[in-house]
Amino acid sequence: MRKSTIWLFTGVMIFAFVGLLYVQVTYIQIILANQEQQFNEAVKRSLYQVSRDLELDETGKYLEDHMSANRKKLLSKSKVLSYSDRILSKEQRRLRISSPDASIDIGIHSETLTNPRVDISPSYGKSDLASASLDMQAALQDKYNYWENLVDEVIRNILKSNELKPIEERVDFKKLDAYIRSELANNNLILPYDFALVDKDKKAVYETTNFKDESVKNAFSQVLFPKDSPQRLYTLLVVFPTQKNYLFRSIGFIAPSIGFTVVLLVVFVFTIYIVFRQKRLSEMKNDFINNMTHELKTPVSTISLAAQMLKDSGVSKSPQLFSHISGVINDESKRLSFLIEKVLQMSLFEKNKTTLKMRELDANDLLANIAHTFVLRVEKIGGTLDVDLNALESTIFVDEMHFTNVLFNLMENALKYRREDVPLTLTASTYNEGDKIHISIQDNGVGIKKENLKKIFERFYRVHTGNRHDVKGFGLGLAYVRKIIDDHNGLIKVESEINVGTKFIIVLPYLKG
């Protein structure tokens, strides 16, 4: 897959995820806005009804008090209206009204006065019937006028006395709390609340225990007795501490959707990372194959040419030439073996764990033997190799072959990446820190840039050396070193500075005693 195609696929997926997240966030905002609007309207309806209930309670109380005070007056007035009761028997009484023209029998049942039944004999005149009807209408009108005057008097008393009473006498706060709870429940709002009653100066007349002054800005308000004078107005403030949680519970079904979206996003990012990583590894493997092919061709062609020369009869007659050709074949065979070893090292990375043949070794002795092998090569190029074996506890449990290759690779890199204008100074040392042994290999070579230090242990990665093309390799040496050290439960650190040198430190646990 081409890189441009990968980037296009990445861009489309990013656009799709951003669009999906935008739609979800917008949908959540719309739902929350609607829920908040419905919540606010329900609370306002509830508080308005609480205000109406208080007004009705006060009016009913005035009526009750006024009725008690005027009960005797009501009884005296009722004598006029109970005339028919006095002339009626328990079952039914008949009243005969005589006139010159006719007589009328009026039968009135005592069950009700508001709907009397009148029995009229045909022999009586219409004028006497009309007279009796007018008397009853007058009695009812008198009753209505009495009640009307009574209600008017109550209203006048309310207008005169309601503002003179303190709010504590007009409002029962326990009943107010019950009204608020009841009206909220009627609107399906069952959640904790706190309330306060404040005057026109915002001074609290009454407040619940958990009501806080800073809660006022989020409080719902309702004026009580709104027809009072502005100087006597009181406002009911109600706050809901768990309002946000109550609103968010209504969109709880969104949480799984967002969770799945996040999971998909993480999987997508990881997939893109794997794709780019595999793309990079693929390119590195292609470079490795090209380099390996080139590297293998050189010794193979040299050995082939030397073999053809050995077939020449003149070569056998010249011992010096024969020795030279034999030396070339030997050197190129070693070089070919080294390249094959590199390929074998690469195969180790395909396994989760390298098969190691562990044994006890002395780190000081192992490092001294390897340094002895390298000392001639270092002196040949005009350099020096110093060995400082300061570790008192030096017994380690390692695979001899692989750990030897690790130390060889690190010293080989010191030779490869030396500075041409400065004699090589290579130092190999051991020392103890805590319960660990440290094996250090330090040079004064070209060094490594800081941005490359974290990458040098990756497979196929090679630090750019500018115009220098004489350093051969496949980017596997340090990756192999890192893997072997990890398989030994150890740690490798690197310190480097350009044109100053590089220092590799291997940290391993030692065997006590």
Side-chain angles (χ1 to χ4, degrees), residues 13 23 46 98 172 222 265 287 309 317 328 338 491:
M13 291 299 295
V23 170
S46 301
S98 299
D172 185 344
Q222 173 63 45
L265 181 60
D287 293 340
M309 292 178 65
K317 296 179 181 180
V328 169
F338 177 76
L491 175 67

Side-chain angles (χ1 to χ4, degrees), residues 24-83:
Q24 287 185 339
V25 170
T26 304
Y27 181 57
I28 292 173
Q29 290 176 343
I30 293 174
I31 292 178
L32 284 177
N34 292 336
Q35 291 290 336
E36 186 174 8
Q37 182 179 1
Q38 294 175 7
F39 180 84
N40 294 343
E41 292 176 355
V43 172
K44 290 178 180 178
R45 285 197 305 268
S46 301
L47 297 184
Y48 174 77
Q49 189 59 44
V50 169
S51 176
R52 290 289 296 167
D53 291 341
L54 292 176
E55 290 178 339
L56 292 174
D57 280 352
E58 187 176 52
T59 304
K61 185 177 180 182
Y62 274 112
L63 284 172
E64 183 180 353
D65 294 343
H66 198 78
M67 284 293 295
S68 298
N70 295 278
R71 187 174 299 276
K72 293 181 180 180
K73 186 185 296 184
L74 178 63
L75 291 175
S76 64
K77 289 287 186 179
S78 298
K79 291 180 181 180
V80 178
L81 301 175
S82 62
Y83 171 75

Side-chain angles (χ1 to χ4, degrees), residues 276-293:
F276 276 102
R277 187 170 180 271
Q278 293 299 324
K279 175 70 174 176
R280 184 166 60 87
L281 291 177
S282 177
E283 293 174 351
M284 290 180 174
K285 280 190 175 183
N286 291 335
D287 293 340
F288 169 78
I289 292 173
N290 293 334
N291 290 334
M292 180 59 70
T293 302

